[in-house]
Amino acid sequence: MTTAASASPDTVAEEAWLTRLLLNSGNRQVQHDLRNAAALHRRVMTLVPNRLGGSPRAQAGALFRLDTDGIGAPVLLVQTRVAPDTAQLPAGYAQAQTRTMRALLAALRPGLPVRYRFLGNAIRRCGRNSTVGKWKQAIPLYGEDAERWWADRAAAAGLDLHTVLSGTADALTAWHRLKDHCDHRDGRGPKTQIKGSGQATETLRVAHAATLFEGAATVRDPNALRGALLHGIGRGKAYGCGLLSLAPGGPEA
């Protein structure tokens, strides 16, 4: 399996790394991170250098996706534009394997058949006169609506889809301290009190909708696809959405 993100096709640096972390489900720090998408994001960011400016995730090109099958240990895929330092993970957290994506990025050409996997934040925003929600409220998409959402973004990313298998994944739930999370326009979760450091802290629960898309496709525009691979697709990248995985092969159209 290989993976992904989006960029200006003329300025793409042909380098990225994909790290596969086989998580230790018995590790307490793993258990904590799996309950909180915000904590999992913070863990991912420990793999890249500090002092990356005001948008460190974007600067590092950090994308991630949690793959689970309900049987084996969960796998966390992490893609970065800088070489990751897996020694920063806690002892016993995961078994790590890292490889460069240079060969995949160079191999993309028009007509190349590929298999894909993508976890997307398939939503639409309500307009001012919406009857289904408040203005700018995020409404999750399901079924054919979600597949049309993905088809539009895949086309923009330079892929011609042949097959699409979609399924609603568990919502990516993040817990934010209210003082650190100022934009509550969506009303996406209840406030609650949690205790830590001897005092109660008010937090906001935010659930991000996620849909898993898998299938076969053909590369139409390699430059657009390299951009989509390197920068991710759609919203929710800080919570585990947006990483496109590709594997060459599969049936032609």
Side-chain angles (χ1 to χ4, degrees), residues 7-10 12 14 108 157 219-228:
S8 169
D10 294 327
V12 167
E14 305 292 331
L108 299 178
V219 176
R220 174 175 42 79
D221 184 338
N223 285 335
L225 185 53
R226 289 188 192 97

Side-chain angles (χ1 to χ4, degrees), residues 37 121 123 138 140 170-176 181 186-190 204-210 239:
N121 181 219
I123 61 169
D170 292 337
L172 304 171
T173 301
W175 293 90
H176 299 276
H181 192 77
D186 289 343
R188 290 170 289 182
L204 178 72
R205 177 183 179 274
V206 181
H208 297 262
Y239 303 100

Side-chain angles (χ1 to χ4, degrees), residues 1-6 18 65 67 77 79 99-101 103-109 112-119 150 153-154 157-161 163 213-230 233 242-250:
M1 182 180 291
T2 20
T3 93
S6 130
L18 180 66
R65 185 181 71 240
D67 284 344
L77 293 178
Q79 181 180 294
R99 68 171 182 261
T100 179
M101 292 175 57
L104 170 70
L105 295 171
L108 299 178
R109 55 174 175 76
L112 178 71
V114 295
R115 304 289 300 181
Y116 67 83
R117 175 177 286 186
F118 174 72
L119 186 68
W150 166 233
R153 281 147 187 82
L159 280 176
D160 288 334
L161 301 182
T163 62
F213 302 95
E214 299 178 278
T218 297
V219 176
R220 174 175 42 79
D221 184 338
N223 285 335
L225 185 53
R226 289 188 192 97
L229 285 169
L230 290 168
I233 298 173
L243 175 62
L244 172 63
S245 298
L246 294 180

Side-chain angles (χ1 to χ4, degrees), residues 15-219:
E15 188 64 287
W17 288 263
L18 180 66
T19 300
R20 183 180 185 273
L21 299 174
L22 181 64
L23 301 180
N24 178 2
S25 300
N27 183 284
R28 289 188 178 183
Q29 289 166 296
V30 169
Q31 295 168 4
H32 170 268
D33 292 349
L34 292 181
R35 290 193 295 268
N36 184 351
L40 194 60
H41 171 249
R42 289 192 293 271
R43 185 72 65 190
V44 166
M45 292 306 295
T46 66
L47 304 179
V48 300
N50 294 323
R51 300 182 295 277
L52 290 176
S55 302
R57 188 207 59 77
Q59 289 296 320
L63 300 164
F64 65 97
R65 185 181 71 240
L66 186 66
D67 284 344
T68 59
D69 60 10
I71 301 174
V75 172
L76 181 63
L77 293 178
V78 180
Q79 181 180 294
T80 55
R81 297 291 301 277
V82 296
D85 182 4
T86 57
Q88 298 301 317
L89 293 171
Y93 189 89
Q95 298 177 30
Q97 295 179 324
T98 298
R99 68 171 182 261
T100 179
M101 292 175 57
R102 181 175 294 179
L104 170 70
L105 295 171
L108 299 178
R109 55 174 175 76
L112 178 71
V114 295
R115 304 289 300 181
Y116 67 83
R117 175 177 286 186
F118 174 72
L119 186 68
N121 181 219
I123 61 169
R124 66 179 175 86
R125 297 281 177 177
C126 294
R128 291 183 181 274
N129 300 318
S130 174
T131 59
V132 296
K134 300 177 182 179
W135 181 45
K136 292 188 178 181
Q137 181 178 348
I139 304 297
L141 301 176
Y142 302 100
E144 292 182 357
D145 289 336
E147 291 181 3
R148 280 193 291 269
W149 177 94
W150 166 233
D152 289 344
R153 281 147 187 82
L159 280 176
D160 288 334
L161 301 182
H162 304 315
T163 62
V164 178
L165 177 64
S166 66
T168 303
D170 292 337
L172 304 171
T173 301
W175 293 90
H176 299 276
R177 293 179 181 178
L178 286 182
K179 67 182 183 64
D180 298 328
H181 192 77
C182 300
D183 187 358
H184 307 148
R185 289 174 300 177
D186 289 343
R188 290 170 289 182
K191 300 175 185 177
T192 189
Q193 295 282 335
I194 61 172
K195 292 185 177 180
S197 303
Q199 59 183 4
T201 301
E202 192 172 29
T203 64
L204 178 72
R205 177 183 179 274
V206 181
H208 297 262
T211 303
L212 182 65
F213 302 95
E214 299 178 278
T218 297
V219 176

